[in-house]
Amino acid sequence: MDFSLAISAKRAARALIPLTCAPWVACNDSSAPVQPEPKRASSTVVSEQPARWHRTSDDEFEYLETRIPGFGGYYLNAAGQLEGYLTDPAKASSAKRILIEELAGRTFRTRFGRADVSLLSFKPARYSFSQLRKWRQAVNSLASSIPGLASTDVDQVQNRVRVGVADAAAAANWREALKALLPDAALEIAVVGMPTNLLMLTDRAPVKQGGFEIQFVKSTDPGNVRRCTLGFNARRHGYTAQYFVTNSHCTSIFLGPDGTQFYQNLYQQPDFVGSEAVDPPYFTNASDPLCPAGLMCRFSDAALVEYPQFLPVDQGYLARTQFAHPTNGSKTIDNTYSSFPISGYAMYPTVGSAAEKIGRSTGWTYGDVTYDCVDLPSGTLGYWMICQSVATMGSTSGDSGSPVFVAENFDTGPVSLLGILWGASSTDGSFFSPMAGIAEDLGGQLIVR
């Protein structure tokens, strides 16, 4: 399909700015593609510094507990209203005043529309958030010694620690291991299966936007062309180059720099769109206690790919298809509303809020955020992901790297980015790295519009 009619000439002209991308498309013959030698965009350092953020939503909840003693977290309930936990309900009035003050300027969107923060209410909690987090970290400390751990989370909806495991045998082993570690009332063990990584709109985009297919080849498997999704375009504070974000596992070396080259949409020289520029290595417990001993950790499955100069790039837009569906949406670009403008991003999602994604395999899907800060292994790759988010939207192979967002208006947007999708499980839904984790790993907050 020719999508040039869906994007105006004015938009295309505006988008002629420096960028870099990466390789993922099959050639039409058996010969190996010629590897390009793209010119790198020059980088000019400036003095602008972005505001600091909490690394994870759990960090933010612990900070809120320093202002609200006994605070147990908050979420959006089934009616679309903010609801929190408090160990001392008698202090709900002062807690509400402080929390509304802290949330000033924040917008919470659900399927019902925007939540009215002034309607915030509290329920009695058995445990404070910091106590639950300590127990979750104690569970994580056993991750390298007891097999079958699929995820851990401080579940602020149920005021307990949720431990996801691979199967019934793992559930029995973990229940036995944890019975002396935390009270039964503070623990849920759920058989969720192990997460798996996702690799696989599929036409060439005349101007590069988040949501389109990209292709690449791993250096360890040069005969196999792989497919992922371009997440979103970005710039870095202090640099003039243009980039896009996709998954680190969509590169030759997972969680490490390797210069992987990407293509959109076919793995051939004319379709070259950039080279991996930023993909920091993992860290361990020796440098950060959030990483369980014996494991290798990151806050996101994200890499930054630099576009070559003068490639037409649609900074601040995501592709928009014809319709959304919970599990398998449209992959055909809508000629009336061909893209979503990006208004900004949320550093961490809120449990109960809406979440959507655009990906090359299942198109535009949507659901709700069910867990906001899950620690879990990254598929079968042997690494531990800190504070990942989970939503019920559908995804499958090839959707890795998809932009995750929430739209204020289904027709015209704008949208607020929540992160990028990297995996799924058959029971919990789709996993994505939130924007806070991406910023932590990639060296700071990104400019996305």
Side-chain angles (χ1 to χ4, degrees):
M1 176 179 179
D2 184 358
F3 295 126
S4 59
L5 296 178
I7 301 178
S8 70
K10 181 178 179 181
R11 283 267 303 283
R14 170 184 57 75
L16 292 173
I17 50 180
L19 299 196
T20 24
C21 280
W24 298 5
V25 190
C27 300
N28 293 326
D29 56 38
S30 59
S31 60
V34 177
Q35 298 300 317
E37 296 181 0
K39 294 181 179 180
R40 306 290 286 192
S42 61
S43 299
T44 303
V45 179
V46 296
S47 60
E48 180 183 1
Q49 293 293 328
R52 185 58 189 168
W53 63 94
H54 292 111
R55 295 188 306 175
T56 70
S57 56
D58 280 5
D59 290 336
E60 178 169 90
F61 283 150
E62 281 213 38
Y63 158 73
L64 290 173
E65 192 180 337
T66 66
R67 295 208 60 200
I68 307 171
F71 179 67
Y74 65 79
Y75 61 96
L76 290 161
N77 63 23
Q81 297 301 330
L82 279 171
E83 198 164 74
Y85 275 102
L86 204 60
T87 57
D88 186 356
K91 298 180 179 179
S93 179
S94 62
K96 179 176 180 177
R97 175 181 54 78
I98 294 170
L99 187 53
I100 289 176
E101 173 188 314
E102 289 287 343
L103 297 179
R106 295 273 299 273
T107 298
F108 299 90
R109 296 188 182 96
T110 72
R111 297 294 164 189
F112 304 97
R114 294 192 182 193
D116 186 346
V117 177
S118 68
L119 299 179
L120 166 72
S121 62
F122 284 95
K123 299 196 297 188
R126 289 182 180 227
Y127 314 106
S128 69
F129 192 87
S130 60
Q131 177 61 73
L132 291 170
R133 193 180 189 191
K134 287 176 183 177
W135 282 328
R136 193 266 278 271
Q137 290 170 339
V139 175
N140 285 351
S141 70
L142 303 175
S144 60
S145 57
I146 303 175
L149 182 61
S151 64
T152 65
D153 179 53
V154 177
D155 182 355
Q156 65 267 37
V157 178
Q158 302 297 332
N159 193 228
R160 61 191 179 191
V161 176
R162 184 179 189 263
V163 177
V165 294
D167 50 37
N173 292 337
W174 276 96
R175 192 172 300 281
E176 178 66 23
L178 298 178
K179 66 181 182 181
L181 195 62
L182 68 167
D184 285 345
L187 175 66
E188 177 194 5
I189 295 181
V191 176
V192 299
M194 299 300 287
T196 57
N197 291 118
L198 304 175
L199 273 177
M200 232 204 82
L201 297 159
T202 56
D203 292 272
R204 181 184 300 175
V207 181
K208 307 310 174 189
Q209 295 178 328
F212 280 93
E213 176 182 302
I214 49 178
Q215 297 192 8
F216 71 105
V217 166
K218 287 182 177 284
S219 58
T220 54
D221 187 16
N224 185 14
V225 175
R226 300 166 187 257
R227 295 162 176 81
C228 284
T229 298
L230 192 159
F232 56 87
N233 295 321
R235 297 192 303 274
R236 303 171 71 190
H237 289 274
Y239 295 86
T240 59
Q242 185 78 29
Y243 306 87
F244 70 80
V245 177
T246 191
N247 285 151
S248 176
H249 81 255
C250 296
T251 67
S252 287
I253 299 175
F254 180 53
L255 306 188
D258 56 65
T260 297
Q261 295 186 337
F262 291 85
Y263 299 79
Q264 201 290 311
N265 63 322
L266 298 177
Y267 189 75
Q268 58 188 15
Q269 179 66 28
D271 289 350
F272 174 74
V273 290
S275 301
E276 180 198 67
V278 181
D279 189 4
Y282 60 82
F283 60 90
T284 66
N285 181 264
S287 61
D288 193 321
L290 280 182
C291 185
L295 296 178
M296 298 169 287
C297 301
R298 273 266 299 263
F299 288 99
S300 70
D301 184 346
L304 201 60
V305 179
E306 186 176 344
Y307 283 111
Q309 293 185 15
F310 309 117
L311 188 71
V313 174
D314 223 359
Q315 175 77 17
Y317 288 87
L318 301 178
R320 183 195 180 280
T321 57
Q322 293 177 345
F323 62 85
H325 185 272
T327 59
N328 197 9
S330 170
K331 294 182 285 185
T332 302
I333 296 294
D334 189 296
N335 283 333
T336 302
Y337 302 110
S338 62
S339 58
F340 279 126
I342 299 171
S343 61
Y345 53 82
M347 294 303 283
Y348 359 79
T350 300
V351 170
S353 66
E356 302 158 55
K357 78 101 181 67
I358 295 281
R360 62 86 55 204
S361 297
T362 57
W364 181 9
T365 60
Y366 66 86
D368 298 302
V369 176
T370 50
Y371 303 99
D372 64 335
C373 194
V374 174
D375 292 352
L376 73 167
S378 179
T380 58
L381 299 174
Y383 296 87
W384 192 252
M385 307 301 293
I386 301 293
C387 200
Q388 305 299 286
S389 300
V390 187
T392 55
M393 60 201 173
S395 62
T396 192
S397 296
D399 285 329
S400 287
S402 296
V404 179
F405 58 93
V406 58
E408 187 166 335
N409 181 293
F410 258 36
D411 285 338
T412 60
V415 302
S416 180
L417 291 173
L418 300 180
I420 58 169
L421 182 144
W422 61 262
S425 80
S426 59
T427 55
D428 273 3
S430 295
F431 303 109
F432 66 95
S433 295
M435 295 299 291
I438 294 171
E440 189 68 26
D441 283 342
L442 299 186
Q445 296 186 51
L446 300 171
I447 302 168
V448 300
R449 57 177 182 168

